[in-house]
Every structure is written in structure tokens, then in C-alpha cells.
């Protein structure tokens, strides 16, 4: 029997990669042959975490059905965010912390979704429930995932459970969460070597909202102007993506990781939905979104409500 592949969403972020590695570690220790893989290129933040904790980058897989009949999804469930051939394999499990949408299976499965800030927080519980000790390097990766998804505990998605898990994992990993976390986030905010196309796809997810197709990308920056100074080329890349994918809206959220605000760059026939959702006026396709840092909690549900 082929091994079970474990992976997160396309355009993987730190939680997607680190949770796939951690859950594959747990499954293998429980006697299940599993391998973490990825559906896209990683960002600088994730690379920083992998190097810090001496972890191997999961290999890229384009079509999972060519390798296995059984998969496990972490950090996502929506089919358009998953492998292109997800409908050709059996989904054994889902471990996630997002909304549930566009997801169905032919067979029963283990599905665990909790309203916490990070998939790794759920996995921390699962190690305990199975009586398996977390090794220092795995703990470091799980800590990295929580720091990333919670923006160093500043995001409104961050719960007491995430903070408690991070504290435990930092102790196991032997690092100071605040010091390490800031260094990791700064590594992810170094975007100088990225093309416009790379910037808008680094952490982009597609959503169905009403009858519309919406793509929301997010990049973290220490100074949002470092990104917006390239507005013309970003708009060209976004326009091309809208045409290729038939999107009604592409929203790029540039988040200031120090001041916890974001600037939105919105294009598409439904860009006015951003104005309606946040009671702002787009000027040259941009608007400041005060206090908005979380796509999961402050962008997706707010936009979905105005598309209904």
C-alpha cells in the first residue's frame, strides 16, 4: 500500500508546511506510513523556520493521485485550495481551523476542526492525547506555525489555547518565543527579491462567495510602502490573474506587522464589495483597513457577508 500523503493548501504558509511535517511525524510514530508534501513554493518566513530547526523541506507534488490513493489534509478543506486532483483520492482525515466550505467526501473520515488560531495548536493536543512526546525540532516548527498564524499573538484569531501551546512548545524547543518570533516574522517580511507575480501568490487563497470567485492574498511587511511602491506592477500582475482565473475580485492585503493595520489593494468587477464591507472608499484601488490583520477572521467572513 502506498504511503499516505499529508499536505496543506496551495501557496503554502508556515502553518501549512510545519503542520504537515508535525502530523506526519505523529502518524509515523503511531505506525502509519505518512509523508509530508507541499503544493507550492514556500516563503522566506517558512524557510527561516525550517533552517532554524534543521527540518527538510517537504517535496513538491503536482498530482497526488499519481502517488497514492489516500491523503490527509491539514490547514485547509476547501477543494479549490487543495490539490487539483483531490477528487481522485480518498481523504482520510482533515485537521483544520478554518471555515468549512466546498468540501465533501464519498467515505466517512476523521474530521477535526477547532476555532483556534493555528492547526499546530490542535496537533499539540493530539500528541498529548496519543501519549507521544514532541521532539525539540518538531516543537520548534509547531511554535513557528503558531507565531506565524497569530502574528506573534497579536491577531484576533489567537486564543488562550494558542498562547499556552506556544509556551509549552517554546520550552521544548529551547527558544524564547518573542525573540525568535520577531526574527522569523521579519524574515518573512523581507520581500525585496520577489517579483510582483510572486508577491501576489505567496499566500493567496481562492474562495467562493455567493456566485463570485474571489482570491485573497496577504503579505506581511514592516513598512507597507515597501510593497505599495510597486503598485503599478502589482496591479498588472493582479489584472492578469483576474483574467486567467475568471475572478470577480482580487484583494491583496498588505499587513503592517508592527502596527497591526493593513492596506487593501482591490481590483475586479466586484471591488466595490470591499468598500461596502469595510465602509471605506477605495482611492486608486487602495484603502487602509484599521486593525485588520487576519484574513481568516477579519477578511473572509466580512467579505462573504456582503456577497451573500
Amino acid at each position: 500500500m502506498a504511503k499516505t500523503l499529508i499536505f496543506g493548501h496551495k501557496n503554502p504558509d508556515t502553518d501549512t508546511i510545519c503542520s504537515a511535517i508535525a502530523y506526519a511525524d505523529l502518524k509515523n510514530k503511531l505506525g502509519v506510513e505518512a509523508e509530508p508534501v507541499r503544493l507550492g513554493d514556500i516563503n522566506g518566513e517558512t524557510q527561516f523556520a525550517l533552517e532554524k530547526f534543521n527540518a527538510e523541506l517537504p517535496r513538491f507534488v503536482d498530482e497526488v493521485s499519481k502517488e497514492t490513493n489516500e491523503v490527509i489534509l491539514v490547514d485547509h478543506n476547501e477543494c479549490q485550495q487543495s490539490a487539483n486532483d483531490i477528487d481522485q483520492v480518498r481523504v482520510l482525515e482533515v485537521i483544520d481551523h478554518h471555515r468549512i466550505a466546498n468540501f465533501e467526501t464519498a467515505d466517512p473520515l476523521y474530521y477535526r476542526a477547532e476555532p483556534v488560531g493555528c492547526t499546530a495548536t490542535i496537533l499539540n493536543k493530539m500528541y498529548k492525547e496519543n501519549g507521544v512526546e514532541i521532539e525539540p525540532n518538531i516543537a520548534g516548527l509547531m511554535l513557528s506555525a503558531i507565531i506565524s498564524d497569530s502574528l506573534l499573538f497579536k491577531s484576533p484569531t489567537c486564543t488562550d489555547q494558542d498562547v499556552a501551546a506556544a509556551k509549552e512548545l517554546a520550552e521544548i524547543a529551547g527558544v524564547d518565543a518573542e525573540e525568535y518570533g520577531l526574527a522569523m516574522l521579519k524574515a518573512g517580511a523581507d520581500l525585496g527579491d520577489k517579483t510582483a507575480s510572486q508577491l501576489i501568490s505567496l499566500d493567496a487563497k481562492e474562495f467562493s462567495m455567493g456566485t463570485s470567485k474571489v482570491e485573497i492574498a496577504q503579505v506581511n511587511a514592516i513598512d507597507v510602502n515597501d510593497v505599495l511602491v510597486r503598485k503599478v506592477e502589482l496591479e498588472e500582475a493582479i489584472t492578469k490573474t483576474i483574467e486567467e482565473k475568471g475572478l470577480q475580485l482580487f484583494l491583496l492585503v498588505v499587513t503592517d506587522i508592527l502596527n497591526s493595520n493593513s492596506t487593501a489593494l482591490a481590483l475586479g468587477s466586484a471591488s466595490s464589495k470591499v468598500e461596502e464591507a469595510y465602509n471605506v472608499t477605495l482611492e486608486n484601488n487602495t484603502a487602509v483597513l484599521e486593525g485588520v490583520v487576519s484574513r481568516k477572521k477579519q477578511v473572509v467572513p466580512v467579505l462573504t457577508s456582503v456577497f451573500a
Side-chain angles (χ1 to χ4, degrees):
M1 181 181 295
K3 69 178 68 175
T4 299
L5 298 183
I6 302 179
F7 52 87
H9 53 77
K10 296 174 181 175
N11 303 317
D13 58 14
T14 301
D15 188 22
T16 273
I17 295 295
C18 293
S19 287
I21 294 173
Y23 200 34
D25 173 73
L26 177 58
K27 297 301 281 188
N28 279 294
K29 287 176 177 173
L30 294 174
V32 177
E33 188 179 6
E35 179 190 1
V37 295
R38 59 186 170 90
L39 303 182
D41 296 331
I42 63 170
N43 58 39
E45 176 190 282
T46 307
Q47 184 65 44
F48 183 90
L50 294 177
E51 291 177 357
K52 171 68 176 180
F53 296 107
N54 299 312
E56 184 176 340
L57 174 67
R59 64 187 178 88
F60 172 76
V61 174
D62 187 34
E63 295 180 294
V64 295
S65 62
K66 290 183 177 180
E67 302 192 26
T68 186
N69 295 318
E70 299 178 335
V71 302
I72 294 173
L73 310 185
V74 295
D75 198 34
H76 78 297
N77 66 81
E78 299 189 46
C79 62
Q80 74 274 11
Q81 298 175 9
S82 198
N84 292 331
D85 57 345
I86 193 67
D87 59 332
Q88 298 177 40
V89 293
R90 180 183 178 187
V91 179
L92 297 178
E93 302 180 33
V94 176
I95 314 296
D96 193 18
H97 67 125
H98 294 91
R99 73 174 192 174
I100 301 170
N102 305 318
F103 179 82
E104 62 179 31
T105 62
D107 302 288
L109 77 162
Y110 178 82
Y111 198 112
R112 186 161 180 169
E114 299 187 21
V116 293
C118 182
T119 309
T121 299
I122 305 172
L123 294 180
N124 186 52
K125 298 180 188 179
M126 295 177 73
Y127 270 93
K128 294 177 182 178
E129 292 163 1
N130 286 281
V132 177
E133 185 176 339
I134 304 176
E135 296 176 4
N137 69 313
I138 296 295
L141 295 176
M142 294 168 68
L143 170 66
S144 301
I146 295 173
I147 289 171
S148 175
D149 269 13
S150 71
L151 274 181
L152 200 52
F153 318 122
K154 293 180 180 179
S155 171
T157 62
C158 186
T159 68
D160 291 342
Q161 294 181 56
D162 298 295
V163 175
K167 183 178 179 180
E168 294 174 8
L169 294 165
E171 186 173 344
I172 296 171
V175 297
D176 179 279
E178 294 283 345
E179 181 181 342
Y180 165 70
L182 185 58
M184 186 192 77
L185 291 177
K186 285 184 176 179
D190 183 3
L191 306 171
D193 63 340
K194 305 298 182 184
T195 66
S197 294
Q198 288 173 325
L199 278 175
I200 68 168
S201 63
L202 274 175
D203 186 6
K205 292 182 180 180
E206 186 178 312
F207 300 90
S208 295
M209 297 184 180
T211 58
S212 298
K213 289 176 64 178
V214 177
E215 188 155 331
I216 304 171
Q218 185 171 24
V219 296
N220 295 333
I222 294 175
D223 184 346
V224 296
N225 290 322
D226 290 342
V227 177
L228 295 178
V229 72
R230 305 171 63 184
K231 183 171 173 286
V232 172
E233 56 182 307
L234 287 171
E235 289 180 334
E236 291 175 354
I238 289 171
T239 299
K240 182 179 180 181
T241 300
I242 289 173
E243 293 172 351
E244 290 176 346
K245 295 186 176 182
L247 304 172
Q248 280 67 55
L249 171 65
F250 190 109
L251 176 62
L252 174 63
V253 180
V254 185
T255 299
D256 183 330
I257 63 174
L258 298 182
N259 297 313
S260 300
N261 293 316
S262 294
T263 297
L265 174 59
L267 282 86
S269 60
S271 61
S272 63
K273 294 292 187 181
V274 176
E275 297 180 310
E276 182 181 347
Y278 293 100
N279 193 28
V280 296
T281 299
L282 291 170
E283 297 184 5
N284 295 319
N285 302 322
T286 66
V288 175
L289 306 182
E290 296 285 350
V292 173
V293 296
S294 170
R295 174 173 52 196
K296 177 163 68 84
K297 194 166 185 176
Q298 296 174 299
V299 180
V300 174
V302 176
L303 273 180
T304 300
S305 68
V306 298
F307 274 96

